[in-house]
Amino acid sequence: MKFVILIIFLSLVTQSNLGFARKQSPVILPLKTKQISSPPNKQISFHHNVTLTVSLTLGSPPQKVTMVLDTGSELSWLHCNKTPTTPSTFNPLLSVFLPCNPVFFTHMQDPYPGFYGNLASDTFHIDNSDLPGTVFGCMDSSFSSNTEEDSKTTGLIGMNRGSLSFVTQMGFPKFSYCISGSDSSGILLLGEAKFPWLKPLNYTPLVQISTPLPYFDRVAYTVALQGISVSGKILPLPKSTFEPDHTGAGQTMVDSGTQFTFLLGPAYTALKNEFLKQTRGVLRQFEDPNFVFQGAMDLCYRIELSKKVLPPLPRVNLVFRGVEMSVSGEKLLYKVAGETRGSDAIYCFTFGNSDLLGVEAFIIGHHHQQNMWIEFDLAKSRVGLAEFKCDLANQRLGLGS
């Protein structure tokens, strides 16, 4: 699932500083999207074509790093050992390494690497403040399904609700981001969003369970997906389709580290069939059973290269408890770079099948979060949404593009 990488160091893992809360004033940072090319073959392996990145400084002396923002991860980590595939690294000159044996770190999703390394702590520099003692993983060696992405970032910053996540260590009760759909930019706000031009958000509560289950991530931003509609037509699916089962499999997570949105098999099949039905005569399906974009997106179309604007498309609404997320227009189809058939470009539906990834969850990716103000309220255990032109936010905050 992941996702956008922001990297920061996690603080020392001791009883005295786990769960500590540093009082911070709101901080605004620019977000950038970074393109990652797809391989030219038909069966495109799963990886992220676009990640959300933030440039930060950390360490003593301060070093600039480019990190992926990931609300689906807890531990932040950095490449600390320069290799041909990871030229962008952090040099832990004065970092404090914690007294433990080397640790093998893994991610809940395949696209991000597993790695051997150590826990370390160092100073994170933000908004003219020095924040010492932040704990992170210092990666010595790794295996990854996407070496190109590794080469363009220094690491990943974990932003979930776990005790070692960056947002928890820094003591921010909430954070927000807004991703532009037009100019590859956005903003990340750590703290309270108090802007007169931001309209009120609609909130959906986080789903929380008290009993640990093997396939339920209790520190993810899990929300209650209750239904899906296409042009107002509710898909005829039982409520149980969207509910976690007795093992915890089937939760719905809001994830900045995943580009697209992935639905479990029954929901994906119902959405795919209804979208096909409503676009018949409007779009020409690309019928090649060997072409599956990113290993999980098997509904694609042929659209003439000469067409600069997509035809009108049926709106897809994701219905959560208390709020809906609307996906329309260009957010519904993604042009696959480098793929043409005759005079046609190949576009794929931006919803994929979680079953094909081997992921037992619904994942709401950042592509469908474009031009929305998304707030993660840890203090009140909720996620807030409001449609907003994010390029205007950049302008009003003086961040540029």
Side-chain angles (χ1 to χ4, degrees):
M1 51 177 41
K2 246 86 255 151
F3 323 136
V4 168
I5 299 174
L6 243 190
I7 211 158
I8 277 349
F9 293 157
L10 299 149
S11 80
L12 287 174
V13 188
T14 65
Q15 290 297 322
S16 62
N17 59 17
L18 276 180
F20 73 98
R22 307 180 188 183
K23 298 299 183 182
Q24 302 296 341
S25 300
V27 174
I28 300 172
L29 297 171
L31 277 176
K32 297 290 184 181
T33 59
K34 188 177 292 291
Q35 289 283 141
I36 306 295
S37 63
S38 295
N41 56 359
K42 291 183 178 180
Q43 187 75 24
I44 300 176
S45 61
F46 179 75
H47 67 276
H48 308 290
N49 294 71
V50 177
T51 58
L52 304 179
T53 65
V54 176
S55 294
L56 306 168
T57 56
L58 58 143
S60 303
Q63 300 172 54
K64 187 174 181 179
V65 293
T66 299
M67 322 308 301
V68 175
L69 177 67
D70 188 358
T71 59
S73 290
E74 178 173 1
L75 180 66
S76 303
W77 52 259
L78 293 166
H79 294 291
C80 294
N81 183 25
K82 185 174 292 188
T83 69
T85 59
T86 57
S88 179
T89 62
F90 171 74
N91 188 351
L93 292 172
L94 297 178
S95 299
V96 176
F97 286 87
L98 305 190
C100 60
N101 293 327
V103 179
F104 180 70
F105 301 97
T106 60
H107 188 278
M108 62 185 294
Q109 302 288 341
D110 289 340
Y112 278 90
F115 64 89
Y116 286 98
N118 293 89
L119 291 179
S121 71
D122 210 324
T123 300
F124 172 54
H125 311 276
I126 183 170
D127 196 35
N128 299 318
S129 297
D130 292 340
L131 304 172
T134 306
V135 175
F136 61 97
C138 200
M139 183 192 298
D140 294 326
S141 62
S142 68
F143 62 87
S144 174
S145 62
N146 190 0
T147 55
E148 182 180 359
E149 182 169 306
D150 287 348
S151 70
K152 294 184 178 182
T153 58
T154 318
L156 174 147
I157 186 169
M159 296 288 285
N160 72 12
R161 300 186 300 123
S163 61
L164 281 180
S165 77
F166 168 69
V167 68
T168 300
Q169 289 196 73
M170 296 299 102
F172 290 105
K174 62 177 63 174
F175 67 95
S176 310
Y177 55 70
C178 198
I179 308 164
S180 173
S182 60
D183 61 2
S184 300
S185 66
I187 64 170
L188 169 66
L189 171 68
L190 303 173
E192 185 77 40
K194 293 182 178 179
F195 306 118
W197 38 261
L198 180 62
K199 64 183 181 180
L201 307 183
N202 294 313
Y203 289 92
T204 185
L206 294 178
V207 175
Q208 302 182 76
I209 63 171
S210 57
T211 303
L213 296 174
Y215 296 107
F216 191 96
D217 183 351
R218 293 198 293 167
V219 292
Y221 296 102
T222 301
V223 294
L225 179 61
Q226 297 181 321
I228 302 172
S229 67
V230 182
S231 292
K233 181 179 179 180
I234 300 290
L235 300 181
L237 294 166
K239 183 179 178 181
S240 59
T241 302
F242 305 104
E243 297 176 340
D245 63 20
H246 66 283
T247 69
Q251 69 188 113
T252 299
M253 296 177 280
V254 182
D255 189 357
S256 68
T258 300
Q259 184 179 359
F260 300 113
T261 293
F262 297 93
L263 309 174
L264 287 172
Y268 172 74
T269 299
L271 174 59
K272 172 184 173 180
N273 290 341
E274 185 60 33
F275 193 82
L276 271 171
K277 179 181 177 182
Q278 294 195 26
T279 56
R280 193 168 292 126
V282 177
L283 295 174
R284 180 160 54 117
Q285 187 179 2
F286 177 43
E287 300 186 77
D288 182 347
N290 294 318
F291 189 95
V292 182
F293 181 51
Q294 292 197 354
M297 302 161 75
D298 60 359
L299 176 56
C300 299
Y301 295 92
R302 297 180 61 156
I303 297 177
E304 294 177 10
L305 287 166
S306 59
K307 289 188 179 295
K308 303 301 181 184
V309 179
L310 293 174
L313 299 173
R315 179 185 301 267
V316 176
N317 275 29
L318 302 176
V319 182
F320 303 100
R321 185 180 302 155
V323 65
E324 292 191 17
M325 177 181 285
S326 181
V327 182
S328 61
E330 294 183 349
K331 288 195 288 186
L332 287 163
L333 296 181
Y334 185 82
K335 185 177 181 180
V336 181
E339 289 290 338
T340 58
R341 296 298 184 274
S343 60
D344 298 330
I346 303 300
Y347 287 74
C348 291
F349 191 41
T350 53
F351 290 84
N353 189 341
S354 294
D355 293 1
L356 296 180
L357 297 180
V359 175
E360 294 290 334
F362 295 86
I363 303 166
I364 311 301
H366 66 73
H367 182 80
H368 291 160
Q369 300 173 40
Q370 291 177 359
N371 284 323
M372 297 193 76
W373 191 277
I374 311 288
E375 178 184 274
F376 298 84
D377 189 338
L378 286 76
K380 295 184 178 180
S381 298
R382 61 183 185 172
V383 174
L385 311 174
E387 292 188 359
F388 191 82
K389 291 291 186 181
C390 297
D391 54 342
L392 297 179
N394 288 339
Q395 295 171 15
R396 288 169 175 168
L397 294 170
L399 296 179
S401 58

